[in-house]
Structure formats: structure tokens, C-alpha cells
Amino acid sequence: MSRAHRSDPTHASRDGVLRRWGIPVGIGVAVAALIAGVFWVQQEPATTPTQGSGGSSTSSEQPAAIEHPESVAAPDLSSQEGRDPDDQLAEGPVDAPVVLVMFSDFQCSFCAKWSDETLPEMREYVERGELRIEYRDVNIYGEDSERAARASLAAAMQGEHAQYHALLFEDGEIRSGQGLSEESLVELAGQIGLDTEQFAADMNSEQVAETIAENAQQGIDLGAMSTPAFIIGGTPTAGAQPTEVFTELVDKALAESEG
Amino acid sequence: MRRRSVLAALPLGLLGLSACGPDGGGEPAGPAPAAPVEHPEPVQVGELAEVVEYTEVRLPLEMTPMVVVDPGWTAVPLQLDGIFLGYREEEEQLRFLAVDQDGTVLWRADRPLSCTGYVLTRGPKKTPIAVLADLAAAEQEGAWAMTLTAYDLRTAEPLWGPVEAPGPQAAPGLVYAAPTDQAMGEGGPRTALSGVTGEVLLAEVDLADGRILGEHLGALVRTEGSELLASGAAGEELWRSPLPAGVEPARARLRGTVDPTTSFAVIGDQDSPGAVIDLADGRVIAEGADAVARDHVLEITVVVSGTTVRGLEDDGTEKWTHEDPEPLQLLCAGERLAYAVRPEEGTLVVLDTNHGLMVQPYDVDLTGPLAVPQVFSADTAAAVRIEEQFFLVTTEFDEDFGLRE
């Protein structure tokens, strides 16, 4: 029996979202697992592997036994950094030594928690010119998330992304479904003094929809089906871990960037 | 279904001795060959190997719904036609265990501790056979001679032998050479045996200008001048082609093992990348290769050359490339993933064979050693290594999978 036709099992993620472990289309289940709430959580340092057995085919031409690895190598995802000077969903210098890409969803409670607790500390690095943050909304929770993502870009187009983003995650909480209706989102824009007419037009524009769809696709292509997920200095990590985990990762990436 | 816990790994005393005895290739010299076992004849088993509790194996996620068994192997097994053969090192002997990809232990056979070398190839009527080494009293008093016996891989029926081996195994397949005083166990002139009869098929001393590179599923691969050629069991020529560019005839070799599911082999020399050749017909699959593996699910051939990994379509089109910081050691490919090791970093590199992206296929919520695939069958059964144990991920779906907590 080949396994090529096995049925798709499912498994609940930490966020309570069902995620598929089964036969993938495209990148595959392995990549889906990549950000399934446990997206390359901090790598344990590789220790000296144990000596492998000799194997059975041992002619003088056989290669030396391959050591047994103890952990999985994390990829270098630096290529996923936009560093686009026109990117309105980014904070910090385009040429910052370290980029943090955040894959998020406006209905993800852990994303709200991270934005409330950890983002302020990350912004200290931004202020020092050491870090650039690029926001990518994957909108895995559907239409309301996607609308909120478009709204955040509309706010960004008026120079108020950070403030609007903070309102959507106020006090580390997510807004309810009604709180993400178009009316509510426009009203929220008014609260921070944005041109609400322009805001509504931008939020519903084709260009904004396209940008948000592209950003979401980037996350989906990487398997970011559980949020929040991050790429810090090219290294993926997942989950709203304690702030010190992120400061350590950024510090490490900064040290590496200095050679 | 019987289940049991994973036991602590057995220590491995002997490392890679060819066939039998310390003169087979390599260093450090091992102990003197052990005496023959009392009952070398294979014993039919026909029972499911012990099932391993799913909570005790940290598998790539794609494999988690399948039944995993522990045949007790302590070295990486070989595979042919969906049957895996490996051995367990016991206190006084080796116990070979042949296991079908559905997890059924087909047969077992005991051999002296020093007889770790064995070959899977084709015998009469293309039957898959296992050729096991043994020891027999030699003419010289107190010495042992190495013998070879072939068994039907599925039924363990004896097919030929015991025949005296020309020496330790010297190249992939049924290729042997008498030991010499040269360093690194470099043997003398090679002799290839027939998988059909066990008789000598070809001896290097009879070649005017050529070397035997290996035997694979009944095909004998050798050089003739600057050409590469393969001949069949009756000596008939199967194909002939120029040696890969840059490979000196005197230094040509089959690098690593040859995948029986594809017959793809890397032919090169000691120091530089070679070419991937299909030993079935002599086709060049890829140039500049250190190692090759095949993912049968997506039908992608994975070729490693130093730090570069390429995914090739059947027509040779390069579907993707991956550039790694280190020269990689390729383990295997299967079920949409390719597995390689970064030797310096000591980590496992896993690439999806569709795009060549690095992935993390293990649930990192779990702790414990990784179960790392070593050998796949064409039907995606896999021998996986967990520290010093080797389990089999079978082709059987675990009916209790949906009930797991």
C-alpha cells in the first residue's frame, strides 16, 4: 500500500484552529507544520552527535558513516525580507541591520498579546535604527481579518499605521466580529483624526486589496497558518513567546550582522 | 495490537567491517573473527514486529499516521522490493532480520559477530536475494575462511552457497577482493560474483584495461579504457558509455550506495563530483554530483553537490536549487521531503522536494531524539534512525490514529 493516497488527518493548534496535517498541495504539510504554533521555536544548540554505526555495506569505497543529527537546521529566510522603501506596513530604516517580519492576524489573540507586550520593546530597536519591522497579515480567520488588514493599510497611507494597529489590538485584546465591520473600522479611523472618506476609499481600493492579498500569500507560501509567526534576521520563530526571547533573537541577529 | 516501550539503545561494539573479520576494510582493526554460529540456517518467522508506541517516536509529521515497528536492528538496513534486511548485534552473534514493508518479520538468521557485510541483489529469475557472509574452518589450522550464501529475500530459501569469498567486500554489490597490506584496507584485484549461481562472473585480473566498479541487481558495472559499461548475468553487454568528464579510469568508483528503487548511482572519483548514471541503461541523469536520492511521491530526483542541492524532473529540468552554508551529506528522500546532514553544525536539513524549501517536519512541541529517515522503499516505507536504534515506518495506516489524544 502506498501512502500517496492517505486521508487527511487534522490536529488542533494552540489557537484552537484546526490545521491540516494531511496531504498538502504545493509546499506541503511539512511547511504547514513550520508555523503550526511551533514554527521553529528556538533551536537548541547542536551538540556533538553520537557516533553512527558502521552500516552494512562497508567496502573500502563506502563513505564514512554519517553522524546522527540531533536537531533540524533552521532555514535562512532573509530573502523574505521586503526592505521596500515604499512599504507602508513597515517601521524602521530600509537598511536596518536586522529585519523582523511579523505574520499576524487581527483576530489572533496571541498577536494582540505580542503587540501589547513585546512590540514596544521591539520599537526601541527601531528607534535606534537597529531594526525594521514589516507587518504581514495572513488573514487566516477570514473576511473580518482581511477587512481589518485593509483598514490598517488605509491608515498607513495616512501615516498612522502604528496608532491604528495599536487600536485594533487595544490592551492586548482582539476586537469582536462587529468591531471589525467596515463601519467600526472607519469610525476607529475617525477617532485618531484620519480623513475617514479617504480612509474608506483606500480601504476598498483595488490597490490595497492587492497588496493585502500579496502579503497574505507570502505567509501562506511559507506555511504561516498559525499566528503570530516571525522571521528575525532570516530565522523563523513562532508564537507569542516571552519578550526576552525576542530581544535575545534580535540581539543575536544584530551581533551576526556585525560579523 | 501489541505495543511496547522503546528500550534503551544497545551499544554498538563493531563498526563497519566488511563481510567477516577485521581484515576487511578499515580501521581500527577489530577483534579476531568470532567463531561460526551453531545454527546459521534462516528461521521463518511470519509475525508482525513489535509495534512502537506512537508517543515514543518523534517522526516527521507525514509519517505519524503509520504503524511503526521495532525489528531490533542496530544498524541501518538495506532494502529491495519492499523488504528490509538489517541486523541486531547481540552479545555473541549478529541476528539478521528480514522485514516486509508492512511490518511482518519474514525470517531471521544468525551470523558471527564479525560478519556484518551483506548484499541484496537479484538471483535466479530476477528473484530478490540476500547474500550473507559466514565463517567456515579453513585449511590452515585455527583460521576461518569467509563464505557467502544466498537466500531468497522473501522466503529465505537457500539458493546457492556456501561459496568461499574471494576476500572482503570491495565495492557495492557482489564484488570482493583479497586484502592487501595497503593502507585503508585497499584490496587487491577485484572479483565479481554472479547473483544467480554464486560463481565468479568476472575477475579483474582477466581484464586488459579495466576495473570492476560494482554489481547492482545483477548488472556488473566496470570500466574499459575510458568507457563505462555494464554486463548482465550471462556476460552480455547491457550498455556502454563514456566515463563522466573529469573521471580518471584508474580512479573511477561508485560513490556511496546505489538506490535499488531507481538504480541511480554516482560515478566519480575520490576527490571530485561525479555524474549520476542510471545503471539500468547507462543514461546520464545529472552531472556534478556527490550523492543522489529519489522522492517517489513527487517523482523528483534530488542531487547534492557540495553545498548545492538540486531537484530534477524526469526530463532533467531543474525544478529548484537550494544553496546551503555547508557541504551536505545526503541521507535519503521520500514522501515529499529530502533529508541531509550538515556535518559541521550537526543538524538535519530537510527540504521539501516540490520547491526545495527548508522545512521543519517534526512537531517541536515534542521532545526527544529525532527519528531520521535513512532508507525508503518505493512505496514509502522507511527505516528511521533514533540514536542507535533503527525502526521501520510501515506502509500500514494505524487504525487508532484518529483516536489518539
Side-chain angles (χ1 to χ4, degrees):
Chain A
M1 179 189 95
S2 168
R3 270 185 257 165
H5 307 294
R6 99 168 48 131
S7 58
D8 290 5
T10 57
H11 182 81
S13 77
R14 287 179 182 171
D15 295 340
V17 183
L18 285 179
R19 65 181 187 255
R20 299 176 73 82
W21 287 137
I23 301 304
V25 176
I27 287 188
V29 69
V31 185
L34 195 116
I35 311 192
V38 288
F39 166 83
W40 261 293
V41 175
Q42 289 218 266
Q43 295 284 302
E44 291 171 23
T47 54
T48 308
T50 52
Q51 173 62 43
S53 67
S56 52
S57 187
T58 54
S59 72
S60 58
E61 300 207 336
Q62 293 306 301
I66 295 174
E67 301 284 12
H68 190 52
E70 295 184 349
S71 60
V72 179
D76 179 3
L77 296 179
S78 305
S79 61
Q80 299 298 319
E81 297 168 0
R83 292 188 183 268
D84 176 0
D86 298 325
D87 185 353
Q88 291 165 305
L89 295 173
E91 298 173 25
V94 167
D95 58 355
V98 179
V99 174
L100 182 154
V101 185
M102 180 190 187
F103 297 98
S104 179
D105 188 297
F106 284 111
Q107 292 185 91
C108 151
S109 54
F110 286 107
C111 302
K113 179 180 158 71
W114 188 88
S115 297
D116 188 56
E117 294 175 4
T118 306
L119 183 55
E121 291 219 33
M122 294 295 104
R123 284 195 169 128
E124 290 177 20
Y125 289 95
V126 172
E127 282 161 21
R128 293 195 294 267
E130 295 170 334
L131 181 70
R132 175 176 173 85
I133 302 174
E134 297 178 351
Y135 298 88
R136 300 292 178 257
D137 300 302
V138 290
N139 308 322
I140 51 172
Y141 291 87
E143 204 178 309
D144 289 344
S145 299
E146 193 267 347
R147 188 183 308 109
R150 284 189 283 112
S152 76
L153 178 51
M157 290 164 84
Q158 294 188 43
E160 293 296 349
H161 176 263
Q163 204 179 348
Y164 196 80
H165 184 271
L167 276 180
L168 288 174
F169 283 147
E170 199 167 16
D171 299 327
E173 300 288 339
I174 56 170
R175 294 170 72 84
S176 65
Q178 193 49 44
L180 296 177
S181 67
E182 182 163 344
E183 193 183 344
S184 297
L185 292 167
V186 173
E187 192 183 309
L188 207 58
Q191 280 178 32
I192 56 172
L194 300 184
D195 177 341
T196 52
E197 233 174 271
Q198 185 62 51
F199 177 89
D202 288 338
M203 183 169 75
N204 293 305
S205 72
E206 203 172 305
Q207 183 203 333
V208 163
E210 201 174 296
T211 302
I212 292 303
E214 282 171 10
N215 288 353
Q217 193 59 49
Q218 181 190 7
I220 290 161
D221 285 348
L222 284 167
M225 301 306 289
S226 180
T227 50
F230 307 87
I231 299 170
I232 301 170
T235 302
T237 189
Q241 300 169 74
T243 297
E244 51 270 28
V245 170
F246 289 90
T247 55
E248 279 171 25
L249 287 170
V250 174
D251 288 343
K252 184 169 173 267
L254 277 170
E256 283 172 5
S257 73
E258 290 164 8
Chain B
M1 187 180 279
R2 287 179 305 137
R3 294 189 184 272
R4 68 163 192 76
S5 295
V6 177
L7 298 169
L10 292 168
L12 280 173
L14 292 175
L15 295 182
L17 300 177
S18 297
C20 299
D23 53 359
E27 30 128 16
V37 296
E38 206 171 332
H39 299 291
E41 309 81 18
V43 176
Q44 302 283 338
V45 180
E47 291 175 3
L48 183 67
E50 287 185 289
V51 174
V52 178
E53 189 64 42
Y54 75 92
T55 54
E56 303 202 30
V57 193
R58 197 170 160 205
L59 287 167
L61 289 163
E62 268 291 272
M63 297 182 178
T64 53
M66 313 314 288
V67 173
V68 180
V69 297
D70 178 10
W73 299 317
T74 53
V76 65
L78 301 178
Q79 182 278 148
L80 180 59
D81 290 2
I83 299 170
F84 292 74
L85 180 66
Y87 62 78
R88 173 169 69 231
E89 188 180 331
E90 297 180 341
E91 209 163 310
E92 295 185 342
Q93 63 187 18
L94 295 179
R95 172 154 290 183
F96 282 85
L97 295 133
V99 185
D100 187 272
Q101 62 185 1
D102 70 1
T104 305
V105 181
L106 300 170
W107 53 271
R108 67 169 192 261
D110 296 338
R111 285 294 185 274
L113 269 175
S114 55
C115 292
T116 55
Y118 65 107
V119 173
L120 302 186
T121 186
R122 299 226 177 268
K125 299 178 185 171
K126 304 287 183 188
T127 307
I129 64 169
V131 179
L132 302 187
D134 203 350
L135 295 170
E139 288 174 15
Q140 186 188 335
E141 198 176 332
W144 299 108
M146 189 177 101
T147 64
L148 301 167
T149 307
Y151 304 97
D152 183 307
L153 182 57
R154 182 164 290 280
T155 66
E157 177 196 350
L159 296 173
W160 51 259
V163 299
E164 189 163 343
Q169 191 184 4
L174 295 173
V175 179
Y176 302 87
T180 66
D181 294 335
Q182 292 182 58
M184 300 304 290
E186 195 63 37
R190 296 168 176 180
T191 301
L193 303 185
S194 162
V196 177
T197 63
E199 294 167 354
V200 173
L201 196 57
L202 186 70
E204 231 168 46
V205 289
D206 298 330
L207 295 176
D209 182 21
R211 293 179 66 239
I212 294 171
L213 302 190
E215 180 271 340
H216 176 70
L217 305 186
L220 178 59
V221 183
R222 62 187 169 98
T223 61
E224 190 174 276
S226 60
E227 289 191 306
L228 190 64
L229 66 103
S231 51
E236 74 280 16
E237 188 173 304
L238 301 175
W239 53 264
R240 180 185 287 260
S241 65
L243 268 169
V247 177
E248 286 179 43
R251 292 162 53 83
R253 60 202 283 261
L254 284 176
R255 296 177 56 161
T257 53
V258 185
D259 180 358
T261 69
T262 59
S263 293
F264 293 173
V266 176
I267 295 182
D269 59 31
Q270 201 107 17
D271 310 317
S272 53
V276 178
I277 309 280
D278 184 343
L279 297 186
D281 56 17
R283 272 183 316 134
V284 178
I285 304 297
E287 305 275 5
D290 295 327
V292 63
R294 173 79 168 181
D295 171 24
H296 287 282
V297 173
L298 294 185
E299 297 184 333
I300 294 293
T301 300
V302 178
V303 177
V304 169
S305 177
T307 58
T308 305
V309 189
R310 291 176 289 157
L312 305 179
E313 307 262 24
D314 279 343
D315 63 0
T317 306
E318 198 173 277
K319 191 172 163 71
W320 51 262
T321 62
H322 164 80
E323 198 61 44
D324 209 74
E326 278 191 45
L328 291 173
Q329 294 175 310
L330 183 64
L331 288 170
C332 59
E335 207 157 22
R336 303 176 180 77
L337 298 173
Y339 299 85
V341 172
R342 281 181 188 166
E344 290 294 318
E345 195 177 69
T347 54
L348 179 70
V349 173
V350 188
L351 301 172
D352 89 282
T353 56
N354 196 30
H355 297 83
L357 293 174
M358 277 178 75
V359 296
Q360 160 56 296
Y362 298 87
D363 187 342
V364 296
D365 274 346
L366 301 177
T367 54
L370 304 175
V372 180
Q374 308 287 314
V375 179
F376 279 92
S377 73
D379 292 329
T380 319
V384 297
R385 179 179 172 186
I386 302 164
E387 294 180 324
E388 300 309 332
Q389 292 178 291
F390 294 83
F391 294 168
L392 180 65
V393 180
T394 70
T395 50
E396 299 305 296
F397 185 81
D398 183 355
E399 298 301 335
D400 296 334
F401 176 74
L403 304 174
R404 292 177 186 174
E405 290 182 358

